[in-house]
Amino acid sequence: TTHGKRHAKQDIMDAAWKLFTEQGYDETTISQIIELSGKSRSTFYHHFRGKDELLFSLAYSYDSDYDSWLQTCDRTLQAADLLLAFNHFVLNNLEHSPYMDLFASLYGLQVATTGTRHILNPDRNYYKILRKILFDGYKVFCFLFGQNDCIANLSFYYFTGLLNQIFKIIDIYIFTGNY
């Protein structure tokens, strides 16, 4: 069944991530993952081409957190502020992730891979949320400024909003001495 397949895949991912965090990505073998998950070798290879693809699935696990954020965020914020709030949420999630030690392996493998680049997959919910925020902002600015000036004004307001945030961060670091 589809539920059983999804459950098997999750069991394999849970086992792998547990082993990856305990003993490191390089030291973990596929045989160890299979043994801990309680699944067969054929089930493993049905869901994953290898250990690297299993590690890449970590990027998708964050997408459910991003979906939850989108459901609960303050939708009254302007697009630039919403984009900054999303960025803050993403970075905070990554910074406090129990899988932080795996990021170097994850990003290194993504750069070196000749296969699918999962982190940059435009179908990930992360990118869908970014596009939604930008498109919603685009619609508002087109309504306010008319179609001809829409792109220029959106770019200007996003850029100035981003600059304001950067200057706030710089001020905090300068005044608190945290640099």
Side-chain angles (χ1 to χ4, degrees):
T1 68
T2 304
H3 177 70
K5 287 180 183 178
R6 209 174 311 137
H7 191 339
K9 184 176 182 176
Q10 189 61 52
D11 288 346
I12 293 167
M13 291 185 333
D14 291 344
W17 295 344
K18 180 178 182 353
L19 291 168
F20 292 163
T21 56
E22 287 177 358
Q23 60 191 38
Y25 173 79
D26 291 331
E27 290 75 23
T28 300
T29 67
I30 291 174
S31 294
Q32 290 172 323
I33 295 168
I34 290 169
E35 183 179 332
L36 185 60
S37 71
K39 305 302 174 201
S40 68
R41 187 167 293 277
S42 62
T43 300
F44 177 90
Y45 284 107
H46 173 75
H47 293 289
F48 304 99
R49 290 187 193 129
K51 191 170 72 165
D52 57 345
E53 188 172 319
L54 184 53
L55 183 62
F56 297 153
S57 68
L58 183 59
Y60 297 99
S61 71
Y62 286 100
D63 285 352
S64 62
D65 291 339
Y66 305 153
D67 288 338
S68 297
W69 176 86
L70 185 62
Q71 299 303 316
T72 60
C73 68
D74 182 357
R75 301 297 291 188
T76 63
L77 294 174
Q78 292 181 0
D81 292 330
L82 196 58
L83 195 56
L84 289 168
F86 181 57
N87 186 56
H88 176 76
F89 177 81
V90 168
L91 293 176
N92 191 51
N93 253 14
L94 294 174
E95 196 172 278
H96 295 96
S97 171
Y99 306 112
M100 192 175 212
D101 291 340
L102 298 176
F103 293 164
S105 296
L106 175 63
Y107 290 112
L109 286 169
Q110 278 293 259
V111 170
T113 189
T114 57
T116 304
R117 300 185 66 140
H118 298 273
I119 294 174
L120 299 175
N121 180 350
D123 293 329
R124 280 189 53 213
N125 288 346
Y126 169 78
Y127 293 107
K128 289 178 182 177
I129 291 169
L130 288 177
R131 285 192 299 271
K132 177 171 180 30
I133 293 170
L134 291 172
F135 184 71
D136 288 350
Y138 175 78
K139 289 188 300 188
V140 168
F141 280 99
C142 286
F143 175 76
L144 293 174
F145 296 105
Q147 191 67 34
N148 293 338
D149 293 331
C150 185
I151 299 284
N153 283 312
L154 181 60
S155 299
F156 172 77
Y157 284 109
Y158 173 75
F159 183 70
T160 56
L162 185 59
L163 280 179
N164 282 337
Q165 292 299 317
I166 290 169
F167 290 137
K168 284 179 189 175
I169 291 168
I170 291 170
D171 285 346
I172 289 168
Y173 280 109
I174 289 171
F175 291 116
T176 62
N178 293 330
Y179 52 89

